[in-house]
Amino acid sequence: MSEPVLELRGIHRTYVTEADTLDVLKGACLTLQPGEIVGLVGPSGSGKSSLLHAAGLLERPDAGEVLVGGAATSGLSDRQRTAIRRRDIGFVYQFHHLLPEFDARENIVLPQLIGGVSRSRAVKRANELLAMLGLAERATHQPSQLSGGEQQRVAIGRALANAPRVLLADEPTGNLDPGTSATVFEAFRETVRGAGAAALVATHNHDLASRMDRVVTFEDGHLTPYIPEH
């Protein structure tokens, strides 16, 4: 078996408020293999976002280790963690957050330029991703000229622009109607696999989760295989 692209080992996360202390993650463990798409389900407040933030190196867990491409990250500086995040991790959110003044292609080109890629290479990569996402003819349209589903597909392309090892998605179709949601997820799945990445997708949509390679859920702060109710 190939080396995992992402591994979470014993992740703990506790939040302290004036009213209470909340143990959200109590030793959560998860491994993602290249090309694998894993669903993460659970009710609001169960820890989905906390797990994604830890996995994406946006927050440091209180205990445990996050490994990206087999390399531990807990002992790294914030600058080193930012470099890994830019190079190896892509993010897709419920709301696309596209830059409204730029067209679809430029929204995918910009993160590549920030990463040091030449403009010619960045444009070529953007065109390839837009074609994979079925948006080749919409490349010069601004977000306001695109449908909600098209905007979210551009956001997926932007997340994949720098060829990350792993894609983390937080309710990526939560703002779309069921038909559009299915279309966008199919584009997401095919593009992620075509790019050779792995993905962890937090969702409330159990039908969407059923289309993934496997699904995990929270049980008292731990991750366990999800068994759908019949």
Side-chain angles (χ1 to χ4, degrees):
M1 183 177 289
S2 58
E3 182 179 72
V5 293
L6 178 70
E7 190 172 357
L8 308 179
R9 296 180 181 172
I11 302 299
H12 288 257
R13 193 73 172 95
T14 299
Y15 295 95
V16 179
T17 67
E18 293 182 0
D20 200 3
T21 298
L22 184 62
D23 295 318
V24 177
L25 304 176
K26 304 177 184 178
C29 297
L30 182 67
T31 299
L32 261 69
Q33 298 293 337
E36 186 177 34
I37 299 178
V38 177
L40 176 64
V41 301
S44 296
S46 61
K48 297 192 301 297
S49 293
S50 294
L51 191 79
L52 289 178
H53 289 166
L57 309 185
L58 294 170
E59 294 181 3
R60 293 181 185 268
D62 298 315
E65 184 63 86
V66 179
L67 295 93
V68 180
T73 62
S74 61
L76 300 180
S77 67
D78 287 343
R79 178 175 292 182
Q80 290 170 318
R81 288 163 62 87
T82 296
I84 291 173
R85 193 164 57 243
R86 286 179 175 171
R87 181 183 69 239
D88 293 328
I89 303 172
F91 298 89
V92 181
Y93 299 99
Q94 179 174 351
F95 299 98
H96 54 79
H97 300 300
L98 298 177
L99 296 173
E101 65 271 30
F102 295 103
D103 63 29
R105 181 190 290 124
E106 284 297 309
N107 267 281
I108 299 176
V109 164
L110 283 171
Q112 298 179 77
L113 299 181
I114 292 170
V117 175
S118 69
R119 171 164 283 277
S120 60
R121 278 187 57 195
V123 169
K124 181 181 178 183
R125 172 73 172 161
N127 287 334
E128 290 171 351
L129 286 166
L130 287 168
M132 291 172 70
L133 290 160
L135 293 172
E137 296 183 358
R138 309 290 275 170
T140 59
H141 288 67
Q142 291 181 305
S144 61
Q145 299 171 302
L146 301 173
S147 69
E150 288 171 338
Q151 291 175 55
Q152 195 65 329
R153 278 186 276 165
V154 174
I156 292 166
R158 179 183 58 189
L160 288 165
N162 286 320
R165 293 172 183 259
V166 61
L167 203 65
L168 303 174
D170 195 356
E171 299 288 351
T173 63
N175 199 39
L176 304 173
D177 65 75
T180 305
S181 173
T183 300
V184 169
F185 179 73
E186 194 60 35
F188 173 90
R189 181 169 61 181
E190 293 303 314
T191 309
V192 168
R193 287 188 172 142
L200 179 61
V201 184
T203 181
H204 284 97
N205 188 328
H206 291 251
D207 177 63
L208 206 66
S210 69
R211 304 180 196 182
M212 301 184 201
D213 298 319
R214 60 188 171 97
V215 184
V216 294
T217 188
F218 286 97
E219 187 172 315
D220 192 30
H222 299 269
L223 290 174
T224 63
Y226 171 70
I227 301 174
E229 297 179 0
H230 295 288

